[in-house]
Amino acid sequence: MLRPSLTIFSLLLATAAALPAGTLSSQHANHLETRSSCATQAEQVTNGSDTNGRGVQLENGDSQSRSFFVYANSCDSIPLQYVTLSAGQDAFISLPQGFQGRIVRGTTDVNLDGQPHLLGTWLEIGFDANDAMGYADVSLIRGCDGAVTVAAMDGTGASTGFTQDVLSGAPDDALQANDAGAMVIKATEGLLSAIVSASRDYLASVLGYDKAYIDDFHGNPVIASNNQRFSATFYAGKA
């Protein structure tokens, strides 16, 4: 949920704290300007073995097979990687040095069509360029399609996210169809960070502000990992 011109690392140096504007791009507009270094074709993860390097041990906590997509910041049209996991299956997603971006659930029909698809829960991941630290959070600013938790794998016990089913009780005015036609919770902010009250207020009422980023103005649910390794679970949701 960072603004395009900022990174978590410059903000940490400036403020000695991980700020809401410091983990990922806010992406308040429909999509961000494409970088010249964006992937031109998504790589399918077929092995998923843990190499003991930086990355995320990703688990599908849903009762059905789900696909997950890794996007680098400002590269919204083509994922860097994707993986399809059966119910209960996990895989290690290795990420490059200095990576900053997100992991989301989706479908291969939609997320591999070359267009941006921003609506849904974001697992935000960022690494220091010098390989010193990794940072993670769960953001609902671009919407919510289900629960996600993430924990550091460095022995500190740091974790964030939520397991609650927030979709079932959402009011109609907080819902919107995603690009696959599933009804999910709307983005909580529009252009120029304008608050979308129906979705923001509902999510704040059931989750508070300490488990996930619900807007750019409350909370700071970022965790750090000193070995740049995280474990994450995507629970039952919509794709």
Side-chain angles (χ1 to χ4, degrees):
M1 49 179 293
L2 307 183
R3 291 162 182 82
S5 61
L6 299 178
T7 68
I8 189 167
F9 313 113
S10 61
L11 286 172
L12 283 168
L13 290 172
T15 65
L19 298 178
T23 308
L24 284 188
S25 64
S26 296
Q27 306 212 21
H28 298 308
N30 288 334
H31 60 279
L32 295 178
E33 180 181 355
T34 302
R35 303 186 316 195
S36 59
S37 59
C38 292
T40 58
Q41 183 174 348
E43 176 188 356
Q44 184 176 11
V45 176
T46 56
N47 186 353
S49 297
D50 187 353
T51 60
N52 294 315
R54 79 183 74 79
V56 179
Q57 188 73 38
L58 184 66
E59 179 185 6
N60 175 17
D62 208 331
S63 60
Q64 58 186 295
S65 178
R66 291 292 188 196
S67 294
F68 303 93
F69 300 82
V70 180
Y71 290 89
N73 278 0
S74 304
C75 297
D76 299 313
S77 297
I78 299 176
L80 179 67
Q81 303 176 66
Y82 72 99
V83 64
T84 299
L85 300 175
S86 301
Q89 185 182 7
D90 63 353
F92 191 80
I93 309 300
S94 296
L95 295 171
Q97 181 177 5
F99 174 84
Q100 292 186 63
R102 66 189 184 271
I103 300 175
V104 299
R105 87 189 88 213
T107 69
T108 53
D109 286 344
V110 171
N111 292 77
L112 299 182
D113 68 357
Q115 300 299 317
H117 303 286
L118 304 180
L119 184 60
T121 306
W122 289 14
L123 169 59
E124 302 189 300
I125 303 291
F127 299 125
D128 280 330
N130 62 1
D131 264 356
M133 294 288 288
Y135 303 90
D137 68 80
V138 175
S139 176
L140 308 182
I141 292 177
R142 292 294 78 193
C144 176
D145 57 15
V148 177
T149 58
V150 59
M153 294 177 67
D154 61 358
T156 61
S159 64
T160 190
F162 63 101
T163 61
Q164 296 98 311
D165 174 12
V166 298
L167 295 173
S168 298
D172 289 345
D173 60 352
L175 296 174
Q176 176 183 339
N178 66 15
D179 292 330
M183 296 303 293
V184 301
I185 296 173
K186 295 177 181 177
T188 64
E189 295 182 14
L191 293 175
L192 303 177
S193 301
I195 294 297
V196 179
S197 296
S199 52
R200 195 281 301 272
D201 294 351
Y202 167 69
L203 287 170
S205 72
V206 294
L207 294 177
Y209 290 103
D210 61 347
K211 298 178 180 179
Y213 278 118
I214 293 176
D215 61 27
D216 273 314
F217 311 104
H218 299 86
N220 186 34
V222 178
I223 63 169
S225 172
N226 58 34
N227 64 6
Q228 301 189 104
R229 290 164 55 80
F230 297 95
S231 61
T233 301
F234 279 71
Y235 297 90
K238 303 286 186 67

